[in-house]
Amino acid sequence: MGLLLIAASASLAAWLWLTLAQGMFWRTDVRLPPRTAPARWPSVVIVVPARDEAEVLPRSLPSLLAQDYPGTAEVVLVDDGSTDGTAELARRLAAAHPGLPLTVVSPGDPAPGWTGKLWALRHGIAHARTARAAEPDYLLLTDADIAHAPDSLRELVSAATSAGLDLVSQMARLRVASTWERLVVPAFVYFFAQLYPFRRINRPAARTTAAAGGCVLLRTETAVRAGVPDSIRQAVIDDVSLARAVRAAGGRIWLGLAERVDSVRPYPALGDLWRMVSRSAYAQLRHQPLLLAGTVAGLVLVYLVPPAALLAGLAAGRPAVAWAGGLAWLLMAGTYLPMLRYYRQPAVLAPLLPFTALLYLLMTVDSAVQHYRGRGGAWKGRTYARPTDA
């Protein structure tokens, strides 16, 4: 019980630090900053990379075409080698939902050293910059499974121009419908915010940098200065890499939670969520075994030790162990409650976070296993090499 008391005390200390000193990551009130309409609405091209998205496109593309934007705007959908009729469907949807003009382009297979999404973005951005008399002031990079409220573009541009921001990114509200989605999805955003606290990212001189790739408004001039996407062409976790490149080029960044920007992609079964997480988890650890070992140890200490210590302490009559574990578990559940409220989920799910963390631990280990079997970074029929091997 001596070792368990040490572990429980260490876990409690970790939760005290996370709660008080990790940028208030657990708060969910980081929304678009105060904004006013610009005197002149800048021009925008919306770039949508799409690979085999026929299932979700009818719920997302019409929302982009229906944007109520006072300035000049258009949509460029980049068909990334789809085999399900994505390009044809996009044209039919544009005919059925008149609004912003739509252009569909197809760049072909990615060149060596490029991930598919960034290859698609490269061609979409190039088309946006060269297919008109003047290149657009901003680019909205948004995934094919993201649905936007009619005023989404207007609000993003107002925030960027009002605060002098080069990159404005909103983490879309992911779908939460199935039992597994309720258990796993809010935790996914909670863990992301724990790694990349929004308030810390949004400080002008912050070292912590990230974005949410589903919704990124990017100043075109800054994109050119940062050399994106060419400078990050091998990145599997493209949103974080994009944010780092923009900040390295002197750009100002803002990241927060969305209010009416929603992912419509379903993850009904555990296997769907497992693949979503495991395809990039080991890439997040830069394919480093030592980082993997440290991550596993950290997840065990922070998320699994508290309930184990509480139950073992109660069973063995060791109140110090039980109190340390119980308080750590209470802080864990308490900091998770705001995210559950944001996703409109019951508070009863908060004490189950250790179980969800165990699932993420197993997904991360599986991501490493798949990498070493030559199947790491697999997504929609493509497997991406480790950047140094590309």
Side-chain angles (χ1 to χ4, degrees):
M1 295 301 289
L3 289 177
L4 188 56
L5 177 59
I6 293 172
S9 300
S11 183
L12 176 58
W15 274 108
L16 288 170
W17 180 84
L18 286 169
T19 303
L20 301 175
Q22 185 61 355
M24 291 188 288
F25 76 94
W26 41 270
R27 294 185 58 172
T28 57
D29 57 351
V30 182
R31 310 298 171 89
L32 284 175
R35 54 207 178 274
T36 57
R40 180 191 71 83
W41 287 94
S43 57
V44 183
V45 172
I46 303 171
V47 181
V48 185
R51 177 173 171 82
D52 292 336
E53 298 288 8
E55 178 185 4
V56 297
L57 214 57
R59 288 171 285 168
S60 60
L61 185 58
S63 75
L64 294 174
L65 302 174
Q67 285 301 297
D68 178 19
Y69 185 66
T72 302
E74 61 182 278
V75 181
V76 175
L77 185 138
V78 187
D79 178 30
D80 179 20
S82 299
T83 59
D84 66 348
T86 290
E88 294 79 6
L89 175 60
R91 295 187 182 98
R92 291 199 302 270
L93 289 170
H97 301 274
L100 298 185
L102 171 72
T103 302
V104 178
V105 297
S106 300
D109 291 335
W114 283 83
T115 63
K117 179 180 177 180
L118 290 173
W119 180 250
L121 285 176
R122 180 180 189 266
H123 284 265
I125 291 172
H127 181 87
R129 295 183 60 205
T130 60
R132 55 199 49 77
E135 66 180 26
D137 299 301
Y138 287 91
L139 302 160
L140 175 58
L141 313 179
T142 184
D143 289 347
D145 63 342
I146 303 298
H148 292 252
D151 62 349
S152 176
L153 180 58
R154 187 170 69 242
E155 295 300 314
L156 285 165
V157 170
S158 297
T161 56
S162 298
L165 298 166
D166 296 277
L167 185 153
V168 179
S169 181
Q170 288 185 295
M171 175 160 281
R173 198 190 301 259
L174 304 178
R175 196 189 91 132
V176 177
S178 70
T179 299
W180 285 112
E181 286 171 337
R182 292 187 177 96
L183 191 64
V184 174
V185 166
F188 177 83
V189 183
Y190 174 87
F191 294 146
F192 182 92
Q194 193 175 79
L195 286 172
Y196 304 105
F198 299 157
R199 280 179 170 76
R200 189 170 293 170
I201 287 170
N202 295 340
R203 296 171 187 166
R207 297 179 62 184
T208 303
T209 304
C215 177
V216 177
L217 182 74
L218 177 62
R219 193 189 303 272
T220 307
E221 178 185 355
T222 306
V224 173
R225 190 168 67 247
V228 296
D230 296 59
S231 62
I232 59 170
R233 60 186 178 274
Q234 296 176 330
V236 176
I237 307 177
D238 52 87
D239 43 14
V240 175
S241 299
L242 171 64
R244 288 172 178 165
V246 168
R247 178 153 277 165
R252 293 191 60 198
I253 288 175
W254 185 91
L255 170 64
L257 293 172
E259 294 177 355
R260 290 191 296 157
V261 177
D262 302 295
S263 173
V264 297
R265 188 181 303 283
Y267 293 98
L270 177 59
D272 302 312
L273 291 159
W274 193 289
R275 286 186 291 272
M276 185 265 290
V277 174
S278 65
R279 72 185 176 95
S280 61
Y282 198 41
Q284 179 73 46
L285 301 175
R286 295 175 288 182
H287 304 103
Q288 296 293 325
L290 288 178
L291 285 178
L292 174 65
T295 298
V296 170
L299 286 170
V300 170
L301 175 67
V302 174
Y303 289 99
L304 304 186
V305 165
L310 174 61
L311 297 176
L314 291 174
R318 297 295 298 271
V321 173
W323 272 105
L327 288 175
W329 198 359
L330 183 63
L331 285 172
M332 183 196 314
T335 58
Y336 190 37
L337 280 173
M339 189 61 69
L340 289 174
R341 284 197 294 267
Y342 172 74
Y343 273 97
R344 306 180 184 95
Q345 297 304 303
V348 71
L349 293 177
L352 300 181
L353 188 56
F355 173 71
T356 305
L358 175 61
L359 290 178
Y360 275 91
L361 185 157
L362 297 174
M363 293 173 192
T364 302
V365 172
D366 181 60
S367 179
V369 171
Q370 297 306 317
H371 170 78
Y372 289 112
R373 287 180 175 176
R375 298 196 295 266
W379 188 246
K380 293 190 176 180
R382 289 186 180 137
T383 299
Y384 298 113
R386 176 177 178 163
T388 55
D389 301 331

